[in-house]
Amino acid sequence: MKPWVRYVLCAAFGVLAGGGGAIWSVRAGALGSNERIDAWTTGRDFGTADASARTRAIVALRGLLALPAHEARYYNAAVDDTGRPLDGTCTYRVQGGALPATWWSLTMYDHVGYLVPNTAHIFSVGSGAISVAERTGWTVLVSPGRQSGHWLPSGTGTGFELTLRAYLPVDGGTGNLTAAQLPKITRESC
């Protein structure tokens, strides 16, 4: 084989491998994939001029809107507290407490970034739905079957991700929530 043919084949392979790796990295990247805090991941450069090319690509592919950190912090979970992928055929208990933010929401998405379709048309639970008595200790059940209390239906039973948004964080978005402040995700049954 002539040397120039080898160079062309190596260059073509390098472009395909590099491009494929970049596409995989963006498609597999959860919103906030820079820092891990237990089951949750987050990032600091959303909605800023300092956002990396990878962050911009992930937001363009999966994020409807990424506000700057002083307006909202985003935390994403694709696994439970033991590291198992979240499965729509299982029931999960998501337990949290008071968050240092003006308002928060917990929303369920599929792995592509769309809301998980369900017949109840419930896609999110926000702090406005939590009573004053529950604010220091609330629970949301994620399950394919209807649950009493705060419930997110997992729809068709496929894998899913949870996104916690903390709006107007009290620290101005300069820091992350701690493991003690973030909700715990416990699989109860499958």
Side-chain angles (χ1 to χ4, degrees):
M1 180 180 305
K2 297 195 182 261
W4 68 269
V5 173
R6 278 185 282 179
Y7 296 137
V8 168
L9 289 174
C10 285
F13 177 76
V15 167
L16 290 173
I23 290 169
W24 176 84
S25 175
V26 169
R27 290 199 180 277
L31 285 176
S33 58
N34 297 333
E35 299 175 44
R36 179 165 289 284
I37 307 167
D38 288 344
W40 301 91
T41 58
T42 190
R44 293 182 187 264
D45 60 351
F46 295 117
T48 69
D50 298 330
S52 68
R54 181 174 182 271
T55 296
R56 291 173 191 260
I58 291 169
V59 169
L61 181 67
R62 303 191 58 198
L64 301 176
L65 177 65
L67 297 170
H70 70 276
E71 292 184 32
R73 291 302 313 272
Y74 301 89
Y75 300 88
N76 192 76
V79 298
D80 65 16
D81 284 344
T82 64
R84 292 178 290 206
L86 297 176
D87 181 342
T89 61
C90 300
T91 297
Y92 295 90
R93 179 174 299 275
V94 182
Q95 292 181 291
L99 295 175
T102 302
W103 189 81
W104 59 264
S105 67
L106 181 68
T107 309
M108 186 183 333
Y109 294 98
D110 63 19
H111 291 304
V112 182
Y114 293 105
L115 294 170
V116 173
N118 63 78
T119 56
H121 303 290
I122 300 170
F123 305 101
S124 182
V125 173
S127 57
I130 305 297
S131 71
V132 174
E134 294 175 286
R135 293 213 174 128
T136 58
W138 51 266
T139 299
V140 174
L141 294 174
V142 179
S143 176
R146 181 167 284 285
Q147 302 290 317
S148 62
H150 306 293
W151 169 56
L152 282 175
S154 55
T156 60
T158 60
F160 64 91
E161 297 175 7
L162 295 170
T163 298
L164 175 71
R165 292 175 178 86
Y167 294 99
L168 299 176
V170 295
D171 69 355
T174 59
N176 287 329
L177 296 179
T178 65
Q181 292 170 318
L182 286 166
K184 301 298 178 204
I185 305 169
T186 306
R187 184 164 87 176
E188 293 196 330
S189 65
C190 276

